[in-house]
Amino acid sequence: MHSDPQWFEKLNQNAYALHQQWMRKAIALARSAGDAGEVPVGAVIVDANGNLIAEGENRRERDRDPTAHAEIVALRAAGRVLQSWHLDRCTLYVTLEPCPMCAGAIVLARIGWLVYGADDPKTGAIRTVANIPDSACSNHRLSVLGGILESACRQQLQTWFSQRRIKENS
């Protein structure tokens, strides 16, 4: 037993601070994607020891690849680093709730934890529109934590789309 009665609360605060740290890294990647003309979504993958092993940002326009979402780019990189497609001891941080394609890839990669920033009311396939990880078609259950730095993630997307509409109407 711990002598400090608030040890569990401190543990949660430390974990939350760590989630924020990695989400800030994903936000920076999203900014880079947005600057390159991509929808600003960024992702990072951290291994069981807390080491950054992969990162990704949306690259659909630059790569002319409909599957080049930030999550897919990061999952592919993590698989190369670990020399395995089994990513069950990894945590994926992404600024926007994954779409159906990415949710399926996350399940197939056996990601241990998914942490995301903003819900996606149009195509969110983790909790908002659909729930692929908990559906009957899923062969893997993962832990999910949404809402980490949600305001910053949402604002980044809203600002980017607003500026894009201004450019298109000019």
Side-chain angles (χ1 to χ4, degrees):
M1 193 72 176
H2 290 272
S3 59
D4 180 357
Q6 296 177 327
W7 73 271
F8 187 73
E9 183 177 326
K10 288 178 184 175
L11 177 69
N12 284 342
Q13 289 172 349
N14 289 339
Y16 188 71
L18 195 59
H19 291 320
Q20 289 180 320
Q21 170 193 326
W22 290 119
M23 190 60 72
R24 282 187 195 93
K25 174 69 174 162
I27 289 170
L29 290 164
R31 185 178 314 110
S32 172
D35 291 347
E38 304 279 354
V39 175
V41 177
V44 298
I45 298 180
V46 178
D47 70 12
N49 297 317
N51 300 309
L52 176 67
I53 61 166
E55 54 187 46
E57 61 185 53
N58 273 356
R59 298 193 52 88
R60 291 186 329 163
E61 299 298 330
R62 289 175 283 178
D63 293 353
R64 293 169 177 75
D65 178 354
T67 68
H69 289 200
E71 300 95 311
I72 302 295
V73 172
L75 289 169
R76 288 176 179 158
R80 285 190 299 272
V81 168
L82 296 178
Q83 294 294 297
S84 176
W85 60 269
H86 285 272
L87 305 179
D88 55 308
R89 296 177 43 98
C90 296
T91 302
L92 168 63
Y93 292 86
V94 62
T95 56
L96 182 65
E97 179 182 8
C99 71
M101 175 185 68
C102 293
I106 289 164
V107 167
L108 291 173
R110 311 288 199 276
I111 284 287
W113 270 92
L114 168 65
V115 180
Y116 70 89
D119 289 338
D120 185 345
K122 292 183 180 179
T123 64
I126 301 297
R127 299 284 183 261
T128 306
V129 178
N131 185 336
I132 289 177
D134 293 335
S135 73
C137 69
S138 178
N139 62 347
H140 170 67
R141 299 293 181 253
L142 65 139
S143 298
V144 176
L145 177 61
I148 298 296
L149 298 181
E150 179 177 11
S151 295
C153 293
R154 181 169 313 290
Q155 186 62 46
Q156 185 178 48
L157 284 157
Q158 289 174 339
T159 299
W160 186 85
F161 278 108
S162 175
Q163 290 172 346
R164 183 173 172 184
R165 281 190 292 275
I166 289 169
K167 287 178 186 174
E168 287 175 355
N169 293 329
S170 298

